[in-house]
Amino acid sequence: MSALAGFAAAVLLVTGASVAPGPAVGRHPAPGPAADTYSSRLLGKAVPDECFAGIGQPYPAGPPCATGQAKVNQSYVWGMTRVGRQVWFGTGANTHCLTSGSGLADSKPVVYDDYVCEFAESQIAKQHPLVPDALGDVRVPQVWTYDNGVLTNRTPDDPRLRSTLGLRAAGTANGIVLFAGPSLSATLNLFAFDAVTKRYLGSRTLAQYGNARTFLAAAGDLYLGAGIGPDGGLGGAVLRWRGNRLAPFLFDRVATLPAQAADLAYQDGHLYATTWSTLQPTSDAQLAGVWRSPPLPLAGGEWTQVWHTGRYEKDPLTATTYGAGGVAAYGGWLYWGTMHVPLKATKVHQAAYPQPTEEAKNLQVRYTQRAAAIWRGRNLGTPDEQIELLYGEPAFPVYQPATGTWTPVPTGWTPKYGRSGFGNGYNNYTWRMIVAGDRLYVATMDWSYLVHILSSTAPPTDPAGWGGDLWTFPAPDAPAEPVDTRGLGNYLNYGIRTMAADGDDLYLGMANPMNLRTDPADSVPEGGWELIRLERTS
């Protein structure tokens, strides 16, 4: 059993433990009738691109596969942007495996009915010594456009793309489409296209940076949030694009932050950046948080941290593992949410406080789990600052090293509308927020289906809760309503990774890493990324 499988089983086995209050793990709300109705349409989906004959085995020819089985490596619509009627997006392949191997240091090869991660046994790792064992499931990411009903693969033949882990961010300005993604060498690779002719303009490596998550067009400029070092774990920056068709890779750094910039938003003449904690944070500034820029146009000046996870999370080790994710300006407020990689906080606690008994180990797993919290604030960084916890926890279990016990400690906040994860403890990521029409939309990752796969010895999760969620705030002073809580028609879509607004409607880029689910004739939906258009019909 892999470390993640044991973790998933322990989460389920101890959800009834008595230390409280904590996240409502596995309790999906009963969605009431939403004020709006929606229709969704699948515009495109990843197709099988490889044949799999067993861990460590050469890949047979195909597909179609005369031997072995078909496999779909392209799993995420990772970066997406809209240019008029065009939607441009970049993919990530086997992203779940890359996260497990690199982010969680769990690189033991595994194969299930739904997916396989080969790590060092992959033919890619065996044939390319520079590919780390933990990233052996990497495949070349792709670039696609959806235009007037036509889906077109525009992936360039560029050696730099072959060293890119995925195209994590996409943006557009002045007729140029830009993609950015981390490389195998912990640098940042960028790629550019002409949005009018769709001609590929080339690529560039920015050696100073190691990651990028979001482009933002604001006040006439295009900005990019970046991280420094492997996976952005050594600090962050905000870059302002000043390029053109002849020189598309010119950027000015307009912020240097103690933690990597994740998502960006614009409100009242200021930029706001959410951040992820550094690898070993030693100050509040290095914790996941929200930062506010000086007034635009930016010409120097310090950014101000207006919120950080230490103001909410009372377990000091767990606080260091948070990320701050989706952020958007809506109704005079800035909304943002938190992100929690499963097992990350548990591993930190296991390293600091090894437990002597199986019962104590299970409690350590249970009480280090957190679900996404949703926040909003206004007048941030001023004497009139107001911050509200909309969905979250009034208290958390906190480990007491002196006694080896867990104690509920109040967070100091009372959630305005409900518990973490919109009441579903498996909603661990606030992946994206976006305003479309007069609504704010919040997209999550829901990892309940992964728990179902991994924990054959534990009670099953509820199939009605499988799949990533999309929620909407219909008004600034109203609670969120569920748009869909089952992966938009495919419960293997464990998250909505990115969104682009088109008036009242949305384009949704889905995350689905179930790379062995490729048989349209069986009773299980198929794996691989999906592009979906969601229309508000009333």
Side-chain angles (χ1 to χ4, degrees), residues 11 43 64 121 126 133 173 193 230 255 312 345 408 464:
V11 168
L43 305 180
E121 296 301 314
K126 290 180 177 180
D133 291 348
F193 293 80
Y312 171 59

Side-chain angles (χ1 to χ4, degrees), residues 70 259 346 453 490 503 515:
T346 305
I453 296 171
N490 182 345
N515 54 27

Side-chain angles (χ1 to χ4, degrees), residues 210-211 227-236 258-260 276-281:
N211 202 3
I228 299 170
D231 200 28
L234 301 181
Q260 70 165 309
W276 276 55
S277 299
T278 59
L279 293 176
Q280 295 179 319

Side-chain angles (χ1 to χ4, degrees), residues 10-87:
V11 168
L12 286 177
L13 286 170
V14 299
T15 51
S18 59
V19 172
V25 174
R27 299 173 190 168
H28 214 292
D36 300 319
T37 58
Y38 296 85
S39 65
S40 63
R41 181 161 50 101
L42 180 64
L43 305 180
K45 182 167 181 58
V47 298
D49 56 349
E50 196 170 271
C51 297
F52 174 71
I55 289 176
Q57 298 302 309
Y59 305 134
C65 304
T67 59
Q69 66 182 107
K71 181 186 178 192
V72 54
N73 289 297
Q74 302 296 326
S75 57
Y76 282 25
V77 174
W78 220 1
M80 181 168 66
T81 188
R82 189 172 68 87
V83 187
R85 298 176 62 181
Q86 303 172 26
V87 177

Side-chain angles (χ1 to χ4, degrees), residues 149-223:
V150 178
L151 193 69
T152 304
N153 188 338
R154 301 191 182 278
T155 306
D157 183 13
D158 186 330
R160 189 172 273 116
L161 193 64
R162 294 195 286 274
S163 70
T164 303
L165 296 176
L167 299 173
R168 201 169 198 170
T172 182
N174 298 333
I176 305 298
V177 175
L178 294 166
F179 292 95
S183 77
L184 287 165
S185 56
T187 56
L188 182 63
N189 288 341
L190 286 100
F191 307 87
F193 293 80
D194 187 312
V196 177
T197 66
K198 302 182 178 64
R199 181 172 63 91
Y200 181 53
L201 300 178
S203 64
R204 181 71 53 84
T205 296
L206 301 185
Q208 314 95 299
Y209 308 105
N211 202 3
R213 295 175 183 270
T214 307
F215 281 96
L216 174 72
D221 283 310
L222 183 67
Y223 297 89

